[in-house]
Amino acid sequence: MARHSAILSDIDLQCYENNHAHRTEEMDVERLLVRRGQPFSVVLQCTEHIPQIPDHQLNLILHLGKNNEVVLKVLDSEQDHGKWWFSQRNAQGEVMLTLHSPADAPVGLYSMTVVLLSGDGQILEQTEPQTFYLLFNPWCKDDSVYLPSEELLQEYILNENGILYQGSWDDITTVSWNFGQFEKDVVDICFEVLDNSPAAMKNSEMDIVNRASPVYISRTITAMVNANDDRGVVSGRWDGEYGDGVAPTRWTGSVPILRRWSEGGGQRVRYGQCWVFTGVACTVLRCLGIPTRCITNYSSAHDTDANISVDYLVNDQLESVSEGRKDSIWNYHCWVESWMKRDDLPEGYNGWQVLDPTPQERSDGVFCCGPCPVRAVKEGEVGLKYDIPFVFSEVNADLIVWIVHPDGERSQVSQNSKMIGRNISTKSVYGDVREDITANYKYPEGSMKEREVYKKAGRQVGQKNESPGELELFIKHAPAIHGTDFDVIIEVYNAGREDTDAQLTVMSNAITYNSIHRGECQRKTTSLTVPAHKAHKEVLRLQYDHYGACVSEHHMIRVTALLQPTDQDNIILQEVNIPLKMPALHIKIIGNAIVSRKLTALISFTNPLPVSLQGGVFTVEGAGLTEAREIKTHGKIEPGQAVTVKFSFKPTRAGLRKLLVDFDSDKLRDVKGEASIIVRTKKQNMNAVSEI
């Protein structure tokens, strides 16, 4: 047999052309990243013409997995819908191979080898393996993450900047977040996260096959973003002690967290709280190609005993007397929604699915939550997968308050069906404005339909047998600015025909956003007589000297008032959470924003507190602008003193970009600022100048 002369020389993956066609060019144009269900072409370079069949034949072999666990032969024609296949066109010394992937192919890192066979099936030669990533494709009608709206895809896949909503239901605040899903090497880290999951470590071949399913992938990500059970990314902490890590409020984006985890060999990153877990999960899911958005639920219930109610037990001194794990109401709680089909459920539950990566309760023995169909939550279908009872409680539980008396007996003070699950929010696709999606999760509060759903979810709806009391209790407050003194007004109104005696206890506590008490600020108990048809007002002056020492990094004060009429059974308890207004950072950009050309940013901050600050540090980052950097201040920052720092950077990608800045110090944390920058390429800038 004559010796075969080498014909195959190289493969041109045509990364630039393919990545543009598959909307992955922002990730990279030097590596191939394509989406499933959409063809892509590579060029096989040859030293001479390949003899035609039957003398010779080209085959393509794909390997999938870190250790090539899964092997796929690519057919040379579309013989079976749902299989990989390719077509070829010969040119001068080259062959264009167009590969067609099924819309339900497993996502991951593939290795491709072209094999030249003789007419009798002998391997004559083969190319060196070439790698490419295959991602989900929400633009493909046959993909289970298909989303038929270009506007939505621009936001939920392609937007690297976002807004997370914080504050309280009646005082909503925002924090900008840099998702950075297209930043350098982020896609590698996302698959590294999947590779470190317990399922992948136990049976990598089965895990790879399951990666065809967005349900499987998204559930894995909710478990892996937190580090409670596994080699997950972020360790949660809520006690204010962050000295051995980074305070959750300091993060302004996901990329530094993911890179720190990867560079540390899978060691957990300290520390995160709900919006951090949410931001990281959104980055990973958007990067993989699953449409995802961040959600904030205000007055969010954490129901520890799955009875679809939150039970508060306090004594007459307003001290919690709950035993064991306590139900609680978080001022707000963040999670993500991802868009996908649910072929594992009955019809009607496709679309947005709740995924909560914050470690709260175990699901199937693991700290994860979801995917949970939003429609199932609204309809109270708590028997479906996954974790619907828990999410239902988060948005629709009843709050029941009990007073525990000295003899151990307890009295129900109130049952409130309207307090939990308010102003459920996400960023609009039409700009940096809030979209209220509460109606997606629940029927109008107090409506007959809402109560029907609550009953269907497993709890007989019981109403406290009460007639309206003669006394009414209200809490009002002036604007509260961090570092200043402000007044809280407690008003008791007597709707009865006779004067009424009562005891009023008012207490203020510094709390975290998830209702952990950091310290009592002030307490006041007053015996009062409220004239008939009149109002009595008590003023509680909250002074920085009192709250400054114990206020949390979330800058939240909770005022609780308990009114106990002397001759009546109707005890009244009211609470209000008061967010303290924070100062803003001022950012000025100097220079023209052009790719690879130096820009300078001036960042200014004025200390609003009546005390000096030490250990000040600015953290700066921006997708397409600069990696995360720290700029430290020197010495003390006295009350009212202004500080300005300067730093330079070179934008790496064109388009509308956001520079995000955080300031932290010993006594003041979580001061934010941002600047939007339109970055142009050198060519765009030259065209703009010539037009002028």
Side-chain angles (χ1 to χ4, degrees), residues 45-105:
Q45 297 169 339
C46 309
T47 58
E48 58 183 88
H49 286 296
I50 298 176
Q52 295 297 308
I53 297 174
D55 300 320
H56 293 79
Q57 183 177 352
L58 288 177
N59 270 4
L60 265 72
I61 306 296
L62 299 179
H63 291 85
L64 179 57
K66 285 194 302 183
N67 301 310
N68 295 330
E69 292 93 334
V70 177
V71 182
L72 300 169
K73 180 182 178 182
V74 182
L75 305 174
D76 59 2
S77 63
E78 189 179 9
Q79 299 172 5
D80 184 2
H81 185 71
K83 301 286 187 181
W84 282 84
W85 66 282
F86 76 96
S87 59
Q88 66 183 74
R89 286 179 290 172
N90 296 332
Q92 297 295 318
E94 296 181 323
V95 180
M96 176 169 281
L97 305 174
T98 300
L99 285 81
H100 302 258
S101 62
D104 61 352

Side-chain angles (χ1 to χ4, degrees), residues 271 368 396:
Y271 289 104
C368 66
N396 217 15

Side-chain angles (χ1 to χ4, degrees), residues 585-612:
L585 299 176
H586 299 284
I587 305 169
K588 182 178 181 181
I589 304 298
I590 301 173
N592 293 323
I594 300 170
V595 171
S596 300
R597 186 174 295 180
K598 187 169 78 171
L599 271 180
T600 298
L602 297 177
I603 305 168
S604 301
F605 163 74
T606 301
N607 179 9
L609 302 186
V611 295
S612 60

Side-chain angles (χ1 to χ4, degrees), residues 412-632:
Q412 182 177 325
V413 176
S414 62
Q415 178 169 340
N416 190 325
S417 64
K418 299 181 180 181
M419 180 174 179
I420 290 171
R422 293 180 165 186
N423 291 346
I424 303 175
S425 303
T426 191
K427 177 189 174 298
S428 169
V429 299
Y430 302 111
D432 291 348
V433 294
R434 186 180 73 89
E435 179 183 352
D436 192 298
I437 58 170
T438 308
N440 292 0
Y441 281 84
K442 58 205 294 190
Y443 289 96
E445 288 287 12
S447 67
M448 184 178 297
K449 185 66 176 176
E450 186 264 343
R451 291 288 87 188
E452 286 176 6
V453 169
Y454 187 83
K455 184 175 181 179
K456 183 170 70 172
R459 181 181 173 85
Q460 295 295 321
V461 181
Q463 294 295 332
K464 182 172 180 278
N465 184 18
E466 60 179 26
S467 57
E470 293 180 348
L471 295 185
E472 299 174 7
L473 181 62
F474 307 94
I475 303 176
K476 304 173 183 178
H477 64 88
I481 300 173
H482 194 20
T484 67
D485 302 343
F486 61 94
D487 291 335
V488 176
I489 300 170
I490 297 87
E491 182 177 302
V492 182
Y493 178 74
N494 184 358
R497 298 179 179 180
E498 298 179 358
D499 297 354
T500 303
D501 295 328
Q503 179 174 285
L504 176 66
T505 301
V506 184
M507 180 175 65
S508 61
N509 284 282
I511 62 166
T512 64
Y513 81 98
N514 60 334
S515 292
I516 296 175
H517 284 223
R518 287 284 178 80
E520 184 177 310
C521 304
Q522 286 161 276
R523 174 188 291 267
K524 183 178 183 181
T525 299
T526 308
S527 295
L528 48 90
T529 300
V530 187
H533 301 295
K534 299 285 187 181
H536 176 92
K537 294 182 180 180
E538 287 286 331
V539 177
L540 182 69
R541 187 161 186 78
L542 289 177
Q543 299 177 326
Y544 178 77
D545 290 345
H546 293 151
Y547 71 78
C550 58
V551 70
S552 75
E553 65 272 24
H554 306 123
H555 319 115
M556 191 79 61
I557 303 294
R558 173 173 291 169
V559 176
T560 306
L562 178 67
L563 183 66
Q564 302 178 83
T566 304
D567 299 322
Q568 297 179 22
D569 293 330
N570 288 321
I571 300 172
I572 306 173
L573 186 143
Q574 292 283 7
E575 278 187 344
V576 63
N577 295 325
I578 304 175
L580 302 174
K581 297 292 184 185
M582 297 293 290
L585 299 176
H586 299 284
I587 305 169
K588 182 178 181 181
I589 304 298
I590 301 173
N592 293 323
I594 300 170
V595 171
S596 300
R597 186 174 295 180
K598 187 169 78 171
L599 271 180
T600 298
L602 297 177
I603 305 168
S604 301
F605 163 74
T606 301
N607 179 9
L609 302 186
V611 295
S612 60
L613 306 178
Q614 298 188 71
V617 57
F618 294 89
T619 304
V620 185
E621 71 167 299
L625 294 174
T626 179
E627 294 184 355
R629 295 168 57 181
E630 288 188 353
I631 307 162
K632 295 183 179 179

Side-chain angles (χ1 to χ4, degrees), residues 609-664:
L609 302 186
V611 295
S612 60
L613 306 178
Q614 298 188 71
V617 57
F618 294 89
T619 304
V620 185
E621 71 167 299
L625 294 174
T626 179
E627 294 184 355
R629 295 168 57 181
E630 288 188 353
I631 307 162
K632 295 183 179 179
T633 62
H634 301 288
K636 294 182 178 180
I637 305 175
E638 300 295 342
Q641 180 183 346
V643 174
T644 300
V645 297
K646 178 172 71 172
F647 86 104
S648 298
F649 60 98
K650 294 180 179 179
T652 57
R653 289 184 283 136
L656 178 62
R657 305 291 171 188
K658 274 190 179 181
L659 187 70
L660 306 183
V661 186
D662 170 81
F663 174 80
D664 270 42

Side-chain angles (χ1 to χ4, degrees), residues 347-464:
E347 286 189 15
Y349 297 103
N350 298 335
W352 291 117
Q353 313 286 320
V354 172
L355 294 155
D356 190 348
T358 300
Q360 295 185 89
E361 301 293 326
R362 292 186 184 274
S363 174
D364 295 336
V366 178
F367 278 104
C368 66
C369 180
C372 160
V374 172
R375 181 169 178 265
V377 175
K378 183 171 184 175
E379 300 299 335
E381 298 291 352
V382 295
L384 301 177
K385 297 185 295 186
Y386 291 91
D387 309 304
I388 296 172
F390 184 76
V391 178
F392 182 89
S393 288
E394 286 186 302
V395 302
N396 217 15
D398 280 4
L399 170 64
I400 303 176
V401 179
W402 306 84
I403 292 287
V404 179
H405 303 290
D407 60 3
E409 292 293 318
R410 65 184 192 180
S411 304
Q412 182 177 325
V413 176
S414 62
Q415 178 169 340
N416 190 325
S417 64
K418 299 181 180 181
M419 180 174 179
I420 290 171
R422 293 180 165 186
N423 291 346
I424 303 175
S425 303
T426 191
K427 177 189 174 298
S428 169
V429 299
Y430 302 111
D432 291 348
V433 294
R434 186 180 73 89
E435 179 183 352
D436 192 298
I437 58 170
T438 308
N440 292 0
Y441 281 84
K442 58 205 294 190
Y443 289 96
E445 288 287 12
S447 67
M448 184 178 297
K449 185 66 176 176
E450 186 264 343
R451 291 288 87 188
E452 286 176 6
V453 169
Y454 187 83
K455 184 175 181 179
K456 183 170 70 172
R459 181 181 173 85
Q460 295 295 321
V461 181
Q463 294 295 332
K464 182 172 180 278

Side-chain angles (χ1 to χ4, degrees), residues 42 61 66 105 192 257 276 308 348 411 663:
V42 300
I61 306 296
K66 285 194 302 183
E192 186 182 349
I257 296 172
V276 179
I308 317 182
S411 304
F663 174 80

